C-alpha cells in the first residue's frame, strides 16, 4: 500500500522560536547601524574601525545565515521523521485490520466446514423418513424445521448452496461421479444431485457431487459450433468426436 503523508502545520513553539530569532537579528542590525553612524559622525573618521566593524558585521551575518540553514535542515528532518512515523502507523493499522479480518474469515470457514457432515446427515435422513403415518409426518416436519433453521443460521454467515437444479454441469463448482444416458434432458445438464456443494463468501468450500445427463440427440447450446471449431483446428482429416463435451467432465467413480 502507498504510504500516506500528511503535512503538519508549524507548532506554537516553532512559531515562537522563529519570531524570537527574527527579533534578535533585527536588534543586532540596529546595533551595527548605530555603531556605524557613530563612527561616521565623529570629527575624525577612523577608517580602521569602520573596516573592523564591517568585517565583524559580515562574520556575524555569515554565522546567522549558517545557523538559520541548520535550523531549517533540523526542522525538515524532524518533519520527515514525523511523516514517516505517521505513515508507518497508518500502514500498521491497515495491516492489523486486514489480518484480523483474515483470521475471522478462516475461523468462520473452519467452523462451517466442520458442520457440513451434519448437513449431509440431514439430507440422507430426509430421503429415508417414512411419512405414511400421521405420527411419522409430524416427526418429519419437526426434523425439517430443525434442518431449515440450521441452514438459515449458516446462510447468515455467508454460506451459499451450489445451484444444481436445471443448470448445465459446471466443473468449477461441481464434481461428476457418473454419466446418465437420457433423452429427456439436454446433454451435459445436471441429471441428479448426490451431495450438496457449498461456498462461503464467494469461495468454494466443496463442489456439488452430481450425475450428468448424456443425450446425443440434444446437444447443449453452442456445442455444435464448439465441435466444428475443434475440427477446423485439427484439420479436415480429423475424426469428429462422439461427444466433444465429455473431456470437459471430471468424471470420477467413488
Amino acid at each position: 500500500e502507498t504510504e500516506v503523508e500528511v503535512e503538519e502545520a508549524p507548532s506554537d513553539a516553532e512559531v515562537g522560536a522563529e519570531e524570537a530569532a527574527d527579533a534578535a537579528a533585527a536588534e543586532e542590525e540596529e546595533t551595527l547601524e548605530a555603531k556605524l553612524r557613530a563612527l561616521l559622525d565623529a570629527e575624525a573618521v577612523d577608517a580602521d574601525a569602520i573596516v573592523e566593524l564591517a568585517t565583524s558585521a559580515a562574520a556575524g551575518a555569515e554565522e546567522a545565515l549558517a545557523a538559520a540553514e541548520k535550523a531549517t535542515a533540523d526542522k525538515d528532518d524532524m518533519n520527515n521523521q514525523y511523516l514517516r512515523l505517521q505513515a508507518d502507523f497508518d500502514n500498521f493499522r491497515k495491516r492489523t485490520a486486514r489480518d484480523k479480518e483474515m483470521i475471522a474469515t478462516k475461523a468462520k470457514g473452519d467452523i462451517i466446514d466442520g458442520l457440513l457432515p451434519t448437513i449431509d446427515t440431514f439430507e440422507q435422513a430426509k430421503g429415508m423418513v417414512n411419512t405414511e403415518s400421521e405420527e411419522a409426518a409430524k416427526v418429519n416436519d419437526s426434523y425439517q424445521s430443525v434442518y431449515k433453521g440450521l441452514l438459515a443460521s449458516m446462510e447468515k454467515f455467508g454460506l451459499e448452496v451450489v445451484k444444481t437444479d436445471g443448470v448445465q454441469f459446471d466443473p468449477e463448482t461441481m464434481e461428476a461421479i457418473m454419466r446418465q444416458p437420457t433423452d429427456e434432458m439436454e446433454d451435459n445438464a445436471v441429471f441428479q444431485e448426490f451431495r450438496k456443494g457449498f461456498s462461503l463468501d464467494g469461495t468454494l468450500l466443496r463442489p456439488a457431487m452430481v450425475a450428468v445427463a448424456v443425450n446425443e440427440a440434444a446437444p447443449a447450446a453452442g456445442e455444435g459450433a464448439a465441435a466444428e471449431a475443434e475440427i477446423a483446428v485439427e484439420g479436415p482429416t480429423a475424426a469428429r468426436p462422439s461427444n466433444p463435451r465429455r473431456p470437459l467432465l471430471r468424471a470420477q467413480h467413488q
Side-chain angles (χ1 to χ4, degrees):
E1 298 183 7
T2 303
E3 292 188 352
V4 179
E5 294 188 358
V6 180
E7 293 186 359
E8 181 191 18
S11 64
D12 294 339
E14 292 177 342
V15 172
E18 291 179 357
E19 291 178 351
D22 293 340
E27 183 178 354
E28 184 176 357
E29 184 178 353
E30 291 177 357
T31 301
L32 290 173
E33 183 179 357
K35 289 181 179 180
L36 180 59
R37 187 177 299 279
L39 290 172
L40 293 175
D41 291 342
E43 295 181 359
V45 176
D46 190 349
D48 294 337
I50 294 176
V51 171
E52 182 180 354
L53 181 61
T55 304
S56 176
E62 291 179 358
E63 291 178 359
L65 180 60
E69 291 177 351
K70 184 178 184 303
T72 301
D74 292 342
K75 177 183 175 182
D76 292 341
D77 184 61
M78 292 181 64
N79 188 54
N80 290 334
Q81 290 182 19
Y82 168 78
L83 292 177
R84 283 195 296 269
L85 286 173
Q86 186 167 352
D88 288 343
F89 177 77
D90 188 68
N91 292 332
F92 169 76
R93 179 179 56 81
K94 292 180 180 179
R95 184 169 60 253
T96 301
R98 185 171 59 250
D99 293 344
K100 181 179 179 181
E101 183 179 356
M102 291 176 60
I103 292 173
T105 300
K106 184 180 184 304
K108 181 173 64 173
D110 291 342
I111 293 174
I112 292 181
D113 188 58
L115 291 174
L116 294 185
T118 304
I119 295 179
D120 295 337
T121 302
F122 272 104
E123 285 290 330
Q124 293 170 3
K126 182 171 62 175
M128 300 171 60
V129 174
N130 185 358
T131 59
E132 293 180 358
S133 65
E134 182 178 353
E135 183 178 355
K138 291 181 179 179
V139 172
N140 183 62
D141 290 342
S142 300
Y143 151 81
Q144 289 297 329
S145 297
V146 174
Y147 179 41
K148 291 179 181 178
L150 175 63
L151 279 180
S153 298
M154 297 176 72
E155 286 172 354
K156 292 180 181 179
F157 289 96
L159 185 71
E160 295 181 3
V161 179
V162 175
K163 183 180 179 182
T164 59
D165 185 23
V167 300
Q168 287 284 303
F169 174 78
D170 180 7
E172 298 296 327
T173 59
M174 305 175 192
E175 179 180 355
I177 62 171
M178 65 176 293
R179 298 176 62 83
Q180 180 64 41
T182 179
D183 56 0
E184 298 179 356
M185 300 181 68
E186 189 179 64
D187 187 53
N188 210 42
V190 175
F191 182 83
Q192 182 181 357
E193 181 185 70
F194 294 101
R195 189 189 68 180
K196 287 186 177 297
F198 296 95
S199 63
L200 179 65
D201 295 331
T203 300
L204 185 68
L205 284 180
R206 75 175 190 190
M209 195 174 291
V210 299
V212 182
V214 178
N215 188 348
E216 301 290 349
E223 183 174 352
E228 292 295 337
E230 184 175 349
I231 291 175
V233 172
E234 293 180 354
T237 59
R240 182 188 182 95
S242 59
N243 188 349
R245 273 192 170 270
R246 286 189 180 181
L248 299 179
L249 299 177
R250 301 182 298 181
Q252 299 179 4
H253 294 279
Q254 298 183 351

